[in-house]
């Protein structure tokens, strides 16, 4: 019977690559420090002496894991700058006399002068540690691009430089990260290692490096944004979201995508019901799509009820991992007002038990404690409420959308499908 499969997290996939390369020798598998978190059933199977097949997000088997071993099955075929990855054994063999320079942040002119002076006639290996959470001030891919730019600066000054990428992930423990980094550098360096002092500031970056960082880390006017509206059915979420959508289109400087609950239910989440599990799956799908929009520096507007804090936190993590910014808007219109607006009688049906798992009646709504904006739409205009949301955006936008009609939702604003 084949071993069950498990796709590790991005950090764990980085760890897997580093372990299989031999860069953490004598450590050859996951342990209490370089951890692999398995679901309870798979952890029990491994604990009983069984195996688990570790796969990449596309299902490619990478390794077979048990308590006794971590056996490689295949090397991941895709990923940016994979051609710059190599095993420690290969680098030590091909560059035995090179000056090895660990890189965890973009290199400035002062650092590059120091590298050139120390290297003399020797080749330089810029050992770029660019795993999940490792780079300082740039994305992992951005750090590699910035290091390639720094290598070109060194080459122009007469110093031969080779960039080698190691996906060493950070785990939030400074001492452990330092020890693991030391182990990796020692594994790759056959000769001298040059540790650079501190992090260079942008004022010291060569123009080529600065251009890479600027592109990788856009300012507030260009960062991807997800605006997540959460609140009870009938609170006015979709009304404000549509007004913001119109305003962004009128402004014209940002691409904008509306992930309205109704539309999502008809397409992305077709077939899901309204159980807690299905509702959380619906929000997770919305969050994933929104994060991808933010990754490409667009603006996504989502207006599901999103009643559970854990799922909202999951969305926040996806957006932030994609390099975007989440603006959480709690449309905190009271239940009584939402019921008063309910022209379809959904709340009344829910109170009679005809609609199960209805948020605010038979299913809880967990009010967010981390909202960027809290808006009660009772008796207020769309323009008035919208201005509060616009003020919380990380980029400038005019708050006027023309006349200010009542925020009272039309009958189709919060249909049952959006629960």
């Amino acid at each position: 019977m084949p071993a069950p499969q498990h796709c590790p997290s991005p950090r764990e996939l980085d760890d897997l690559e580093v372990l299989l390369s031999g860069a953490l020798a004598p450590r050859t598998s996951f342990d209490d420090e370089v951890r692999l978190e398995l679901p309870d059933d798979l952890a029990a199977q491994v604990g009983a002496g069984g195996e688990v097949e570790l796969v990449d997000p596309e299902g490619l088997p990478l390794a077979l894991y048990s308590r006794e071993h971590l056996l490689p099955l295949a090397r991941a075929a895709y990923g940016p700058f994979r051609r710059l990855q190599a095993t420690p054994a290969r680098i030590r063999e091909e560059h035995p006399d090179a000056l090895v320079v660990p890189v965890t942040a973009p290199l400035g002119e002062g650092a590059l002068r120091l590298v050139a002076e120390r290297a003399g006639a020797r080749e330089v290996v810029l050992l770029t540690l660019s795993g999940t959470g490792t780079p300082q001030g740039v994305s992992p891919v951005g750090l590699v691009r910035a290091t390639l730019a720094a290598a070109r600066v060194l080459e122009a000054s007469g110093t031969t430089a080779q960039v080698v990428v190691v996906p060493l992930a950070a785990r939030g423990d400074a001492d452990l990260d330092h020890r693991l980094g030391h182990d990796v550098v020692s594994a790759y360096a056959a000769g001298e290692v040059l540790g650079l002092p501190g992090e260079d500031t942008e004022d010291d970056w060569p123009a080529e490096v600065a251009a890479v960082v600027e592109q990788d880390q856009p300012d507030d006017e260009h960062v991807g944004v997800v605006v997540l509206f959460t609140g009870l059915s009938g609170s006015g979420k979709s009304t404000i979201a549509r007004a913001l959508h119109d305003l962004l289109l009128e402004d014209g400087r940002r691409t904008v995508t509306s992930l309205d609950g109704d539309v999502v239910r008809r397409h992305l989440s077709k077939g899901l019901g309204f159980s807690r599990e299905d509702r959380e799956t619906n929000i997770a799908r919305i969050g994933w799509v929104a994060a991808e929009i933010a990754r490409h520096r667009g603006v996504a507007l989502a207006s599901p009820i999103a009643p559970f804090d854990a799922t909202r936190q999951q969305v926040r993590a996806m957006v932030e991992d994609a390099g975007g910014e989440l603006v959480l808007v709690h449309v905190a219109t009271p239940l009584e007002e939402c019921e008063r607006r309910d022209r379809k009688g959904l709340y009344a049906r829910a109170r009679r038990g005809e609609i199960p798992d209805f948020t605010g009646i038979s299913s809880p709504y967990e009010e967010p404690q981390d909202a960027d904006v809290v808006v009660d739409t009772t008796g207020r205009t769309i323009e008035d409420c919208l201005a509060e949301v616009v003020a919380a955006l990380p980029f400038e936008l005019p708050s006027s959308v023309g006349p200010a009609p009542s925020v009272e939702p039309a009958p189709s604003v919060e249909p049952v499908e959006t629960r």
Side-chain angles (χ1 to χ4, degrees), residues 2-5 16 20 28-30 36 46 50-55 61-74:
Q5 292 187 332
L16 178 62
L20 293 179
T28 58
S29 186
F30 293 100
L36 174 66
V46 170
E51 296 179 320
V52 173
E53 192 173 72
L54 304 180
V55 302
L62 299 175
L64 203 59
Y65 171 67
S66 73
R67 288 186 303 178
E68 288 76 30
H69 59 244
L70 181 65
L71 301 178
L73 298 177

Side-chain angles (χ1 to χ4, degrees), residues 37-52:
E37 298 292 341
L38 293 172
D40 291 344
D41 58 334
L42 297 184
Q45 178 162 326
V46 170
E51 296 179 320
V52 173

Side-chain angles (χ1 to χ4, degrees), residues 330-396:
H330 179 200
V331 184
T333 307
L335 175 61
E336 296 76 12
E337 175 66 11
C338 294
E339 288 196 69
R340 186 190 68 78
R341 297 174 178 178
D342 184 20
R343 297 184 178 93
K344 284 190 174 183
L346 300 178
Y347 278 100
R349 290 177 58 197
R351 289 193 180 280
R352 292 194 300 267
E354 297 173 8
I355 303 177
D357 297 318
F358 195 93
T359 301
I361 304 299
S362 52
S363 183
Y365 178 79
E366 300 171 358
E367 293 194 1
Q369 303 301 309
D370 57 344
D372 299 284
V373 184
V374 178
V375 182
D376 179 352
T377 64
T378 306
R380 300 177 65 189
T381 64
I382 293 175
E383 189 172 55
D384 187 25
C385 297
L386 180 60
E388 294 188 29
V389 177
V390 168
L393 297 176
F395 52 87
E396 291 187 2

Side-chain angles (χ1 to χ4, degrees), residues 184-398:
V184 167
V185 173
S186 297
Y188 277 89
E192 183 184 1
V193 175
L194 174 62
L196 297 173
E199 180 182 353
D200 291 316
T201 66
E202 57 184 285
D203 293 336
D204 190 44
W205 291 331
E208 199 169 350
V209 173
V212 169
V213 177
E214 181 179 0
Q215 182 183 41
D216 184 73
Q217 298 294 304
D219 57 26
D220 288 345
E221 288 295 316
H222 300 93
V223 70
V225 177
V226 174
V227 185
L228 178 62
F229 294 86
T230 174
L232 297 174
S233 177
S235 61
K237 303 181 304 298
S238 294
T239 302
I240 303 173
R242 283 196 293 266
L244 180 57
H245 183 259
D246 290 346
L247 182 60
L248 286 162
L249 289 176
E250 291 173 7
D251 182 66
R253 289 176 294 171
R254 303 296 301 263
T255 59
V256 57
T257 302
S258 174
L259 298 172
D260 180 74
D262 241 359
V263 177
V264 169
R265 281 282 184 177
R266 285 197 299 270
H267 299 283
L268 184 65
S269 294
K270 185 177 182 179
L272 290 180
F274 294 101
S275 67
R276 175 163 184 156
E277 181 180 2
D278 280 0
R279 293 160 82 190
E280 289 183 320
T281 299
N282 178 51
I283 303 306
R285 290 180 181 179
I286 291 172
W288 186 85
V289 172
E292 289 303 302
I293 292 169
R295 187 189 304 278
H296 297 286
R297 301 180 188 174
V299 177
L301 310 180
S303 53
I305 290 175
F308 306 119
D309 180 68
T311 320
R312 294 193 298 260
Q313 296 304 326
Q314 183 183 358
V315 172
R316 182 181 294 279
M318 286 190 283
V319 173
E320 292 177 351
D321 287 347
E325 181 170 336
L326 179 77
V327 177
L328 182 62
V329 180
H330 179 200
V331 184
T333 307
L335 175 61
E336 296 76 12
E337 175 66 11
C338 294
E339 288 196 69
R340 186 190 68 78
R341 297 174 178 178
D342 184 20
R343 297 184 178 93
K344 284 190 174 183
L346 300 178
Y347 278 100
R349 290 177 58 197
R351 289 193 180 280
R352 292 194 300 267
E354 297 173 8
I355 303 177
D357 297 318
F358 195 93
T359 301
I361 304 299
S362 52
S363 183
Y365 178 79
E366 300 171 358
E367 293 194 1
Q369 303 301 309
D370 57 344
D372 299 284
V373 184
V374 178
V375 182
D376 179 352
T377 64
T378 306
R380 300 177 65 189
T381 64
I382 293 175
E383 189 172 55
D384 187 25
C385 297
L386 180 60
E388 294 188 29
V389 177
V390 168
L393 297 176
F395 52 87
E396 291 187 2
L397 196 65

